[in-house]
Amino acid sequence: MSDNDEKKTLGVRGGPRSGNVKQSFSHGRTKNVVVETKRKRVVKPKTGGAAASGSESARSQAFSGDSAKRPAGISDAELERRMKALQAAKGREAEEAARRDAEEKQREEERQRRREEAEAKEREQREAEERARAKAEEEERKRQDAEKAATPAAAPAAPAAPPADDAARAPAKQPPRKQDKVEKDRDQSRGRGKGRDDGGRRAGKLTLNQALAGGEGGRQKSLAAMKRKQERARQKAMGGAQEREKVVRDVQLPETIVVSELANRMAERVGDVVKALMNNGMMVTQNQTIDADTAELIIEEFGHRVVRVSDSDVEDVIAQIDDSPDALKPRPPVITVMGHVDHGKTSLLDAIRDAKVVSGEAGGITQHIGAYQVTTSSGTLLTFLDTPGHAAFTSMRARGAQVTDIVVLVVAADDAVMPQTIEAINHAKAAQVPIIVAINKCDKPEANPDKVRTDLLQHEVIVEAMSGDVQDVEVSAQTGQGLDELLEAIALQSEMLEIQANPNRAAEGAVIEAQLDVGRGPVATVLVQKGTLKQGDIFVVGEQWGKVRALINDRGERVKTAGPSVPVEVLGLNGTPEAGDVLNVVETEAQAREIAEYRQQAAKEKRAAAGAGTSLEQLLAKAKEDENVSELPILVKADVQGSAEAIVQAMEKIGNEEVRVRVLHSGVGAITESDVGLAEASGAPVLGFNVRANAPARNSANQKGVEIRYYSVIYDLVDDVKAAASGLLGAEVRENFIGYAEIKEVFKVSGVGKVAGCLVTEGIARRSAGVRLLRDDVVIHEGTLKTLKRFKDEVSEVQSGQECGMAFENYEDVRPGDVIEIFEREEIERKLD
């Protein structure tokens, strides 16, 4: 059976030609296919008048007259319909051609009009230039004529310049016509120029030299870029959008900047900036950072102006306003009470305030800075700061002197001038504030105010009773003696100072104390110095910022505002500030947050720089020094920032070259689990000052064996740490000489070795004591006795003037005439001062 059985070949009438085609498939299969080919029908046009006329009636008659020439299967109606359709199509083509011709003519007229306008504009410009040139030549000719007239005896002048008319008639060098340039650009864009320009699509790979040499970025352009360029050329030819003038910008330049950010500030393309940097020899990417000097070169290269800024410029929003004299108004004076511990500072202030603050302080001593306002009988308002007198609170007293106007120096009449009194005087002198001496405890029988006045002379404090200018008042906090005179002296001193401030400005103040309250969060006691602090103000204080949520005065009452010299508790901080930080009010939260973040980063960098060794030699030397130093690590948690700071300073003073106290961490608030974890890792106790551990921290401390100690008086805390640090000291070994013996003869004894026959010349010779062998007053051996005999008996000691036999442990080089020194060692426990 063949491949083409029962298959009828396809074909058309008119004599087909048949053939076989062999098809090949995969796996060696083939198939024969019967195909049929036919010739293409070629229709030739008729010649003669009938064909030339091409009338529809002739064609209709030809088809109808000769049915053999009509296409097969076409009726007269079909033929007529086709002829009508053909005629309608030709009519539409004619209309479309006419419309295109009209549009082309309109476009040509528009182009001609724009061309004429451009030529007219260029012609006017040329005429203006020619007029300006002719005017300049006329002025030059007049100037030369004036010079010739001024110097008639000079050499013959050079040939005169051609007249202005000739210059005008001379063919001036015309600038290239704009239309010619447009036509040239159009020819080049269409490929009719001598060669394709740089704007055409490039072929080949991009090399580094080509990228540095310039061009359009050294990269093959896309079709969209080509279309955009053609559109720009067309708009330029039509007199459309022109190239815009470059905008020169003021670019703010910090100390370092990222390349992409630099391009963004200049409003330039990142690729252009990177290319400019590469041309300057810097191979960088858009995400790399460059220094300010390099960025300044790039900014100037792009034609912009440089405005140097610094990270610290964020603090410029804190306006340093110089208050005008008209805006200043009187404010209450700030009086700081200073003096030695237990001289009655707080008791004296209590007597003025009629309050009992001492009973609220642990141990009857002040451990926080208190701020109070008092109104005198004459109606004068005074602001008092009560500072602690203990040596541990030196820094707190120093901060009190920085914000004060007047210092009241309290000295006990029965105790005279003490170390902290001298320290308070030095603080007051450093702050350049006047001093008023309050001689307290004058009601006691042993009081001696004159001795106080005399002792103050040694420290250059000359009271009025000693012909000086410092006021002194004898007072008694118990009986109220002299309190009115003290207030009058303070009022007089404040009037002489003429203390003023501007209340109508943004508030500025100093943080007297800060603490972390469990229910209220971070709380800062602020003394407003300038302006008025209002509820809702946004402020920045040190490394913290916040919004005033509430203001509480010294009597525990909520207030809306706080003016100059008013102490208030401020709520609404995001963290606990340092005591002594300055509070400044700003306009927005963003500014406050930015300033706080900058200060935190600066403080972090400062701490990192302080903790880093400058060289390997210094690190090795420090490690070698620390080998012989024992450390007592501790953790300190206090109720307020000032107390924590004072405790840390007291701990730094404890120790010597052998032992020291190391504060691993100090903070404000309750003792937490993280504190216990740190203490366990470092083997340190946790010391809580007026704070307690929370329940999870207590459980964790019990499980891990961490010691937590609570204190409410700073004396006890310092003494306990000193005692613990003293335990790390090695015991002091002291030698007590108990006798001397002289060797008279040396004997050899079997089983024992050399035995020295000695005479005890001084003291007692004991077998348990240590001995040194001296030869010509030089120590040649130190050890212990192996035997001590009196005649043939072993004895424990030999008195002075008696003879004995001595043998040394592991040493036999003894000679007659040597001296034996006998001593005992005693260990003495050491303590830190």
Side-chain angles (χ1 to χ4, degrees):
M1 187 176 183
S2 64
D3 292 334
N4 58 354
D5 290 344
E6 297 180 358
K7 292 182 180 178
K8 186 176 180 181
T9 59
L10 299 175
V12 297
R13 295 185 297 274
R17 295 186 295 169
S18 304
N20 293 333
V21 175
K22 187 175 183 180
Q23 290 181 318
S24 299
F25 301 96
S26 60
H27 304 291
R29 295 184 292 108
T30 60
K31 181 179 181 183
N32 289 330
V33 180
V34 178
V35 299
E36 181 179 324
T37 59
K38 65 178 182 178
R39 294 180 182 274
K40 184 177 180 181
R41 182 177 181 184
V42 180
V43 180
K44 295 182 179 180
K46 295 183 179 181
T47 59
S53 62
S55 62
E56 301 301 332
S57 60
R59 291 181 183 176
S60 176
Q61 291 174 1
F63 279 112
S64 61
D66 191 359
S67 59
K69 294 180 180 179
R70 179 184 299 180
I74 300 298
S75 62
D76 294 341
E78 180 67 20
L79 181 61
E80 186 178 356
R81 189 172 68 253
R82 290 189 181 186
M83 294 304 294
K84 287 181 179 179
L86 181 61
Q87 186 177 0
K90 286 187 175 184
R92 284 194 299 271
E93 288 178 1
E95 291 175 0
E96 184 69 22
R99 187 177 60 81
R100 281 198 301 269
D101 292 342
E103 290 179 354
E104 184 64 29
K105 185 177 180 180
Q106 186 178 1
R107 281 197 296 270
E108 184 63 29
E109 291 175 355
E110 182 68 18
R111 282 196 292 269
Q112 182 65 24
R113 184 181 63 80
R114 291 181 181 274
R115 191 179 302 117
E116 290 175 356
E117 290 178 357
E119 290 175 356
K121 189 181 297 183
E122 291 178 0
R123 187 164 54 252
E124 291 176 0
Q125 186 176 0
R126 286 198 300 272
E127 291 175 357
E129 291 175 354
E130 289 172 359
R131 286 194 297 270
R133 191 182 304 111
K135 185 177 180 181
E137 290 174 355
E138 180 66 21
E139 292 177 355
E140 180 67 19
R141 185 177 60 80
K142 290 180 180 180
R143 187 180 61 81
Q144 291 178 357
D145 293 343
E147 290 178 354
K148 289 177 182 179
T151 56
D165 297 339
D166 297 341
R169 288 194 296 269
K173 186 177 179 181
Q174 301 292 339
R177 293 178 58 189
K178 187 174 181 181
Q179 188 62 29
D180 297 340
K181 186 175 182 299
V182 171
E183 294 295 334
K184 183 178 178 182
D185 291 341
R186 185 183 300 149
D187 293 340
Q188 288 181 352
S189 64
R190 294 178 181 174
R192 293 198 297 268
K194 292 182 179 181
R196 297 177 67 92
D197 61 345
D198 290 340
R201 302 189 66 186
R202 297 182 178 182
K205 295 182 178 179
L206 172 66
T207 64
L208 186 59
N209 291 332
Q210 291 174 354
L212 295 178
E216 295 293 333
R219 180 177 298 183
Q220 185 175 0
K221 282 197 167 184
S222 65
L223 185 59
M226 292 294 296
K227 288 182 177 179
R228 287 194 297 270
K229 183 175 180 180
Q230 291 175 0
E231 180 65 21
R232 286 195 297 269
R234 188 182 68 79
Q235 289 183 357
K236 193 174 181 181
M238 299 289 290
Q242 301 292 330
E243 185 176 356
R244 287 182 294 181
E245 186 177 349
K246 183 178 180 64
V247 179
V248 179
R249 304 177 185 275
D250 292 329
V251 181
Q252 291 189 349
L253 182 60
E255 296 172 359
T256 58
I257 189 170
V258 181
V259 176
S260 58
E261 177 63 19
L262 176 62
N264 185 28
R265 294 188 181 187
M266 293 192 299
E268 302 285 351
R269 292 190 300 177
V270 178
D272 295 340
V273 178
V274 173
K275 189 191 301 181
L277 287 167
M278 296 174 84
N279 288 333
N280 284 279
M282 291 189 65
M283 300 299 174
V284 296
T285 63
Q286 64 176 357
N287 296 323
Q288 286 183 259
T289 304
I290 58 176
D291 60 290
D293 295 334
T294 305
E296 184 174 357
L297 293 175
I298 299 302
I299 293 171
E300 293 176 351
E301 184 176 332
F302 278 90
H304 299 289
R305 290 185 293 268
V306 179
V307 179
R308 285 289 189 112
V309 296
S310 175
D311 292 338
S312 60
D313 291 343
V314 297
E315 297 201 17
D316 291 345
V317 299
I318 300 176
Q320 298 296 330
I321 303 174
D322 293 331
D323 297 322
S324 62
D326 299 335
L328 298 178
K329 296 181 180 179
R331 66 171 176 83
V334 179
I335 301 100
T336 299
V337 183
M338 288 187 175
H340 190 70
V341 61
D342 203 25
H343 274 203
K345 299 181 299 297
T346 308
S347 299
L348 183 62
L349 186 58
D350 290 344
I352 296 173
R353 297 177 59 233
D354 292 328
K356 297 297 180 183
V357 178
V358 169
S359 58
E361 292 282 358
I365 63 169
T366 303
Q367 308 185 82
H368 304 144
I369 290 183
Y372 317 102
Q373 280 197 316
V374 175
T375 303
T376 64
S377 57
S378 60
T380 305
L381 187 63
L382 305 177
T383 300
F384 281 92
L385 296 182
D386 181 20
T387 61
H390 191 269
F393 295 89
T394 300
S395 61
M396 296 172 67
R397 260 201 322 281
R399 283 196 297 272
Q402 288 171 358
V403 299
T404 191
D405 300 315
I406 302 171
V407 168
V408 173
L409 183 64
V410 179
V411 185
D414 61 342
D415 205 5
V417 176
M418 299 298 287
Q420 274 77 51
T421 309
I422 300 170
E423 194 176 328
I425 294 172
N426 295 333
H427 285 315
K429 288 182 177 179
Q432 297 181 351
V433 293
I435 299 175
I436 298 176
V437 179
I439 305 175
N440 195 18
K441 302 184 181 180
C442 289
D443 58 319
K444 288 191 174 183
E446 62 271 19
N448 188 358
D450 292 335
K451 184 177 183 301
V452 173
R453 297 185 179 97
T454 306
D455 291 347
L456 289 174
L457 292 175
Q458 303 176 8
H459 307 287
E460 301 178 359
V461 178
I462 306 172
V463 299
E464 291 178 346
M466 298 288 182
S467 302
D469 56 355
V470 177
Q471 300 183 75
D472 64 305
V473 183
E474 296 182 8
V475 296
S476 172
Q478 297 295 328
T479 63
Q481 172 191 346
L483 295 183
D484 294 336
E485 290 83 354
L486 178 62
L487 294 178
E488 288 177 3
I490 294 172
L492 176 62
Q493 187 70 57
S494 63
E495 288 179 6
M496 294 173 59
L497 294 176
E498 295 182 356
I499 303 169
Q500 293 179 326
N502 181 11
N504 301 318
R505 55 161 287 177
E508 179 181 330
V511 177
I512 302 299
E513 193 55 89
Q515 61 182 338
L516 183 62
D517 194 291
V518 176
R520 300 183 297 173
V523 179
T525 302
V526 177
L527 178 66
V528 181
Q529 295 173 296
K530 299 177 184 178
T532 302
L533 186 63
K534 307 180 190 67
Q535 186 172 344
D537 281 349
I538 298 168
F539 62 89
V540 58
V541 49
E543 301 174 24
Q544 313 298 333
W545 68 277
K547 185 176 182 180
V548 178
R549 198 171 71 238
L551 296 173
I552 302 174
N553 62 14
D554 59 319
R555 294 182 295 275
E557 302 168 350
R558 283 207 172 197
V559 293
K560 296 292 183 181
T561 60
S565 301
V566 177
V568 287
E569 285 187 342
V570 179
L571 281 67
L573 293 94
N574 70 326
T576 307
E578 298 285 337
D581 287 341
V582 178
L583 181 144
N584 295 100
V585 173
V586 295
E587 294 181 358
T588 62
E589 288 188 11
Q591 291 177 349
R593 189 182 297 108
E594 191 176 6
I595 295 171
E597 289 175 356
Y598 163 73
R599 291 179 178 177
Q600 289 173 3
Q601 184 65 27
K604 183 179 179 182
E605 292 175 358
K606 185 177 180 180
R607 287 192 293 267
T614 55
S615 65
L616 182 61
E617 289 77 9
Q618 291 181 357
L619 289 174
L620 293 175
K622 187 175 185 302
K624 190 173 182 180
E625 290 176 1
D626 292 344
E627 283 182 357
N628 301 323
V629 179
S630 299
E631 284 188 344
L632 174 64
I634 61 172
L635 272 80
V636 176
K637 294 300 286 290
D639 55 342
V640 295
Q641 185 69 37
S643 298
E645 183 180 340
I647 293 171
V648 171
Q649 290 182 355
M651 297 299 104
E652 290 175 351
K653 295 179 182 178
I654 298 175
N656 52 22
E657 65 277 1
E658 296 181 37
V659 63
R660 65 187 176 199
V661 178
R662 182 183 177 191
V663 180
L664 298 177
H665 172 68
S666 65
V668 177
I671 300 171
T672 62
E673 275 189 287
S674 60
D675 299 327
V676 175
L678 178 59
E680 182 203 15
S682 55
V686 181
L687 308 182
F689 185 75
N690 286 335
V691 295
R692 294 293 182 268
N694 54 29
R698 289 196 299 270
N699 298 334
S700 178
N702 293 334
Q703 294 174 0
K704 298 176 180 178
V706 175
E707 182 182 9
I708 299 178
R709 289 196 175 191
Y710 303 120
Y711 298 92
S712 57
V713 178
I714 196 169
Y715 294 116
D716 300 337
L717 188 149
V718 174
D719 292 342
D720 283 0
V721 174
K722 277 186 179 179
S726 300
L728 298 178
L729 291 172
E732 180 182 355
V733 178
R734 184 177 299 173
E735 292 183 354
N736 296 324
F737 296 100
I738 59 174
Y740 288 92
E742 183 180 354
I743 299 176
K744 298 295 185 178
E745 194 65 45
V746 178
F747 306 98
K748 287 187 178 180
V749 179
S750 59
V752 178
K754 288 186 178 182
V755 176
C758 305
L759 174 65
V760 179
T761 58
E762 183 181 346
I764 301 174
R766 287 197 183 99
R767 185 181 177 186
S768 59
V771 292
R772 291 190 184 96
L773 185 63
L774 307 180
R775 186 173 297 164
D776 298 330
D777 294 329
V778 177
V779 179
I780 61 174
H781 175 67
E782 180 178 344
T784 58
L785 292 177
K786 181 169 61 174
T787 182
L788 177 63
K789 291 191 175 184
R790 172 86 173 137
F791 300 108
K792 291 184 179 181
D793 299 329
E794 189 80 23
V795 294
S796 58
E797 64 179 34
V798 178
Q799 298 292 329
S800 174
Q802 296 180 351
E803 294 181 347
C804 63
M806 295 185 186
F808 292 93
E809 194 79 41
N810 299 325
Y811 190 78
E812 293 187 351
D813 184 16
V814 291
R815 299 177 188 177
D818 291 349
V819 178
I820 299 174
E821 186 180 75
I822 307 161
F823 62 90
E824 288 182 342
R825 290 187 175 92
E826 179 184 4
E827 290 189 354
I828 300 175
E829 185 178 352
R830 300 168 61 196
K831 292 184 178 180
L832 290 170
D833 296 333

